[in-house]
Amino acid sequence: MENATLKRSLALWQIVLMGIGYMTPMVVFDTFGIASELTDGHVPLAYIIALVGMLLTAVSYKKMIQVFPTAGSAYTYTQKTMNAHLGFVVGWSALMDYLFLPMVNALIFQIYLHSLFPSLPEWIWVVGFVAITTTLNLRSVNFTANFNTFLVLFQIIILILFISVAIKGLLSGEGTGTIFSLQLFYEKGLDISSLVAGATLMCFSYLGFDAVAMLSEETPNPKKTIPRAIFLTALIGGIMFTITAYFIQSVFPSPSDFKNPEASSPEIVLYMGGVFFQMVFLAGGLAGVIASGISSHASVSRLLYVMGRDNILPKKVFGYVHSNLRTPVLNILIVGLVSLSAIFFDLGTATSFINFGALIAFTFVNLSVIAHFVFRKKKYKTTKEFFNYILMPLLGAAAIAILWLNLEKNSFIVGIGWAAIGFVYLLYITKFFKFNPGKIEFKEMDELEPSSQIDIDVKSI
């Protein structure tokens, strides 16, 4: 079949819900016990602090997408604003995060189903999960987005049901005994260092809000739609996390309320609604895992597509788009095959492979703003330009720096190893830097006047 291009058909809210599906709204239950211990019972505040840090990076994504409205995200921004070789290293590093998240989702799916059907071999659930996510992604991107929307809305219904049960319990005198309590956000003697540690943990719940940038070539107006989608994904996800955490904390105000903080989710659900609610919650958890699996599978296949289109990866394979489906079908199948390797991993090992790539991407998106607007376009002379192109991205980079300081040792070691493999491959394809790895050109947007740029940054979102 003749090669084609991706189909521009996604609307704003389809993209936002893809991003929210990627983050998984119900993840707040899984990490709550540990977060409550770290923050001494102030998880909602930690989520808010983490949200502020993520929104700073979201603003940097917004600026760069308006200049380079393509599916390459941090890979493209670094490649076009700094150095093509560095751009490859950033894209390669991000690729590890994107490739392993579908595997993590497959393993969580396996854990859920094996607990219900212990007599069946565990590998069946990995194969089943990969078959579902691969098949759905092979369809048109609109079909994939619409199915993801259904799964996300189902999770939201579960959260609303949980909050309703929590309110009923609070009115009956459980937990704090009140619906509104400022104590969960602030009280005398609050340990700031513990709060920052908790906020760092919460930041990892937001990983994936940037993945919607990979859909830039599948929406009619990417310069307008994708920046809004990234910001709204982080904002709405943060609001959902914070509200849910608030009501969990209201019912379980003390970290000592949990017998096993590392497995708080079953305790929360069983206490709140008994066995029936536990089954409903399990269904919501499965919906969340599948939604995240669909979104992450779609994102990594688009990153591979851009790297293939640039001829960094073999173009005939990775740069191919099906002429009827208008999806990168070969990449989708490749990601499915890689995801099957989850059969040979445990959840802890697979999880250690992610986060490094995401932090690399976040860091270089912030730095790309400075490289493009300050060093290339010389936009630093007015107060507005200084605020937009120096102060904001530096604050975003500083927020990510805190995450770097708290990154697990295994994640860092594995990430460096993966980057080293990519560097060796880069030496090979460039014949030891004799030429650049990517040559595709992107047409930049018309430069906005400084006075209107500040309106874009604040108001258009």
Side-chain angles (χ1 to χ4, degrees):
M1 288 187 179
E2 182 183 353
N3 198 11
T5 58
L6 300 174
K7 184 178 181 181
R8 295 188 180 274
S9 59
L10 293 179
L12 172 64
W13 287 105
Q14 288 177 301
I15 297 173
V16 170
L17 290 171
M18 285 284 281
I20 292 175
Y22 196 117
M23 290 194 297
T24 314
M26 296 186 68
V27 72
V28 62
F29 291 94
D30 298 322
T31 58
F32 187 86
I34 299 173
S36 187
E37 277 193 328
L38 283 175
T39 62
D40 194 24
H42 295 87
V43 179
L45 180 57
Y47 266 116
I48 292 175
I49 294 173
L51 175 60
V52 172
M54 291 298 102
L55 289 180
L56 289 169
T57 297
V59 171
S60 289
Y61 268 102
K62 175 186 178 304
K63 292 184 176 75
M64 297 314 301
I65 289 170
Q66 289 179 325
V67 179
F68 305 109
T70 67
S73 191
Y75 154 70
T76 296
Y77 311 151
T78 307
Q79 177 197 57
K80 304 304 293 184
T81 64
M82 298 184 194
N83 179 273
H85 302 103
L86 182 60
F88 170 82
V89 174
V90 170
W92 180 270
S93 298
L95 187 61
M96 180 180 69
D97 174 54
Y98 283 121
L99 274 175
F100 275 87
L101 189 56
M103 292 174 56
V104 169
N105 286 315
L107 288 169
I108 295 174
F109 185 84
Q110 169 193 287
I111 291 169
Y112 277 147
L113 272 299
H114 185 67
S115 67
L116 294 176
F117 307 99
S119 60
L120 294 176
E122 296 183 5
W123 63 265
I124 287 179
W125 305 119
V126 173
V127 173
F129 178 85
V130 172
I132 291 170
T133 56
T134 301
T135 301
L136 289 172
N137 271 286
L138 285 172
R139 300 289 298 272
S140 70
V141 71
N142 268 85
F143 178 87
T144 303
N146 290 336
F147 190 84
N148 173 82
T149 296
F150 165 76
L151 295 175
V152 172
L153 292 179
F154 180 67
Q155 291 178 78
I156 292 173
I157 291 172
I158 300 295
L159 294 179
I160 293 173
L161 178 61
F162 168 80
I163 291 171
S164 300
V165 174
I167 290 175
K168 181 180 178 182
L170 293 171
L171 293 176
S172 300
E174 297 178 3
T176 60
T178 179
I179 297 177
F180 302 103
S181 174
L182 292 176
Q183 183 180 349
L184 302 184
F185 296 98
Y186 176 77
E187 62 180 334
K188 189 176 180 180
L190 183 64
D191 187 348
I192 301 301
S193 61
S194 297
L195 193 61
V196 171
T200 300
L201 174 64
M202 297 302 93
C203 278
F204 290 113
S205 298
Y206 290 92
L207 297 185
F209 79 89
D210 62 310
V212 300
M214 295 296 174
L215 302 174
S216 293
E217 295 181 41
E218 290 166 278
T219 184
N221 189 359
K223 292 179 182 178
K224 181 179 180 181
T225 302
I226 297 298
R228 290 181 176 179
I230 287 182
F231 193 91
L232 286 172
T233 297
L235 181 61
I236 294 173
I239 291 172
M240 292 173 63
F241 289 150
T242 302
I243 291 176
T244 305
Y246 174 83
F247 282 102
I248 300 175
Q249 195 80 82
S250 295
V251 178
F252 300 91
S254 172
S256 61
D257 291 330
F258 298 106
K259 295 179 181 179
N260 183 6
E262 294 187 4
S264 57
S265 181
E267 292 186 47
I268 294 170
V269 179
L270 188 61
Y271 176 82
M272 295 294 293
V275 176
F276 172 75
F277 190 74
Q278 194 172 33
M279 295 303 295
V280 174
F281 185 85
L282 176 61
L286 287 173
V289 171
I290 295 173
S292 181
I294 292 171
S295 299
S296 57
H297 199 130
S299 296
V300 68
S301 65
R302 271 63 179 179
L303 177 57
L304 289 170
Y305 164 70
V306 175
M307 296 180 81
R309 187 178 62 186
D310 284 2
N311 238 352
I312 291 175
L313 298 174
K315 188 172 184 176
K316 287 186 178 180
V317 176
F318 294 97
Y320 175 77
V321 174
H322 194 280
S323 59
N324 292 328
L325 298 174
R326 305 284 291 276
T327 56
V329 294
L330 296 180
N331 293 343
I332 291 168
L333 291 172
I334 290 169
V335 174
L337 289 174
V338 172
S339 298
L340 285 176
S341 63
I343 294 171
F344 307 105
F345 288 88
D346 59 49
L347 185 59
T349 302
T351 302
S352 69
F353 279 73
I354 64 176
N355 295 336
F356 179 89
L359 295 188
I360 285 285
F362 289 172
T363 299
F364 278 91
V365 167
N366 284 301
L367 295 179
S368 293
V369 173
I370 298 173
H372 179 76
F373 289 101
V374 176
F375 289 96
R376 293 183 61 190
K377 300 300 180 183
K378 309 300 180 184
K379 286 181 170 290
Y380 54 83
K381 299 175 183 178
T382 69
T383 301
K384 291 178 180 178
E385 289 174 346
F386 178 83
F387 177 81
N388 280 323
Y389 308 127
I390 297 179
L391 181 60
M392 290 292 286
L394 283 178
L395 289 174
I400 303 306
I402 296 175
L403 297 185
W404 276 115
L405 293 175
N406 290 273
L407 185 66
E408 291 183 358
K409 182 179 178 180
N410 287 342
S411 294
F412 187 80
I413 293 174
V414 171
I416 291 295
W418 176 263
I421 293 172
F423 184 74
V424 172
Y425 177 70
L426 177 65
L427 291 176
Y428 170 74
I429 63 174
T430 61
K431 308 299 181 184
F432 287 85
F433 303 127
K434 289 183 179 179
F435 57 88
N436 289 336
K439 297 180 180 179
I440 188 168
E441 294 297 328
F442 302 103
K443 185 177 180 180
E444 297 184 10
M445 65 176 287
D446 294 331
E447 288 297 320
L448 297 170
E449 293 298 324
S451 59
S452 64
Q453 186 67 44
I454 191 70
D455 292 334
I456 289 286
D457 290 336
V458 178
K459 296 178 181 178
S460 68
I461 296 168

